[in-house]
Amino acid sequence: MGCFVARGRWVCGAEHGACDPASQARRRRWDDTGGDDGARLRTGPKPGVRTMSIALHRVTDVAPPPHSRVAGAYPSTDLYDAYSIELPDEASGDPETLARFVFARSPAWIGGLTRIRDALVAGLGLKTARRLHRLGANGGERVGMFRIYERRPSEIVLGEDDKHLDFKLSVLCQPPGEAVARRRLIVSTAVHCHNRLGRAYIAVIAPFHRLILRSCLRHAARIGWPPRQPAG
């Protein structure tokens, strides 16, 4: 008997519980995706604050917060947007921790899109994601491929400068207030293009940018936000 899923748990039907290599690889792959099927295959809860409420998985378009450090970062913007998701009470409130979590655990298909993007822009002399990741691996101040520009208690500002455009990305923890009952994580992006190449690039990339950010935030909520650290 092979390995299979029953009632949301992985069942090993092999003798003495020794799965064949293909089954082991399939289990690891589905487990690591954090997707709906991956969640069904897990044998137990992973570290993190799982958000079962559909409301806590909902990503909404919002106006970029005027108090964010990316507001007014450029004299003009060719793209300026923001997306928001609720944070459960037990989740971390540290913006750098949350930023690293969101961008390090993006859905697998985003990596495929990034590789296609790199192949297309490398011939234009633009920075590739692979090159930017290497900078971080060599000790640069980065979150994934993004340079860290500024840290504040409730916000971290990331981004990059290139010959066609500059951009800044804010990951901001907004406390509850009159308009919202829960804390929210807001990711804002501001892009300033230098030339026609930049404007053409952002026109092509913008739909994917929106899809990727929304997917990353939903994915983070589904697999479980990092928990708050004990005080002291």
Side-chain angles (χ1 to χ4, degrees), residues 30-45:
W30 282 86
D31 240 9
D32 290 343
T33 60
D36 292 337
D37 289 327
R40 288 196 294 270
L41 292 178
R42 291 192 182 95
T43 56

Side-chain angles (χ1 to χ4, degrees), residues 76-223:
S76 63
T77 54
D78 296 270
L79 183 148
Y80 190 29
D81 61 14
Y83 298 93
S84 171
I85 190 168
E86 290 187 3
L87 289 171
D89 295 339
E90 303 83 4
S92 172
D94 177 63
E96 182 170 346
T97 298
L98 295 172
R100 291 188 183 280
F101 184 82
V102 168
F103 296 120
R105 292 167 175 79
S106 58
W109 58 265
I110 293 176
L113 280 182
T114 302
R115 287 189 290 274
I116 294 172
R117 180 262 180 199
D118 281 359
L120 294 174
V121 306
L124 300 174
L126 306 184
K127 297 176 182 177
T128 63
R130 184 176 180 181
R131 174 186 169 190
L132 296 175
H133 276 293
R134 281 202 303 267
L135 293 175
N138 292 334
E141 278 269 283
R142 290 185 174 266
V143 171
M145 66 178 178
F146 304 122
R147 182 194 307 177
I148 297 175
Y149 281 94
E150 186 177 0
R151 293 181 177 93
R152 304 172 76 198
S154 62
E155 182 179 24
I156 185 168
V157 178
L158 314 172
E160 193 60 53
D161 296 342
D162 208 339
K163 69 179 188 180
H164 64 314
L165 60 79
D166 301 339
F167 78 92
K168 284 189 167 65
L169 185 149
S170 157
V171 178
L172 183 147
C173 294
Q174 179 172 284
E178 294 182 3
V180 291
R182 288 181 179 270
R183 293 180 304 147
R184 301 192 70 88
L185 186 68
I186 302 176
V187 179
S188 307
T189 308
V191 178
H192 174 68
C193 295
H194 300 310
N195 47 41
R196 284 184 293 179
L197 173 60
R199 288 186 287 274
Y201 174 88
I202 205 64
V204 173
I205 290 296
F208 298 99
H209 154 80
R210 298 181 184 105
L211 175 64
I212 287 170
L213 274 187
R214 295 174 68 92
S215 297
C216 284
L217 290 171
R218 272 196 303 267
H219 188 69
R222 190 161 56 229
I223 64 177

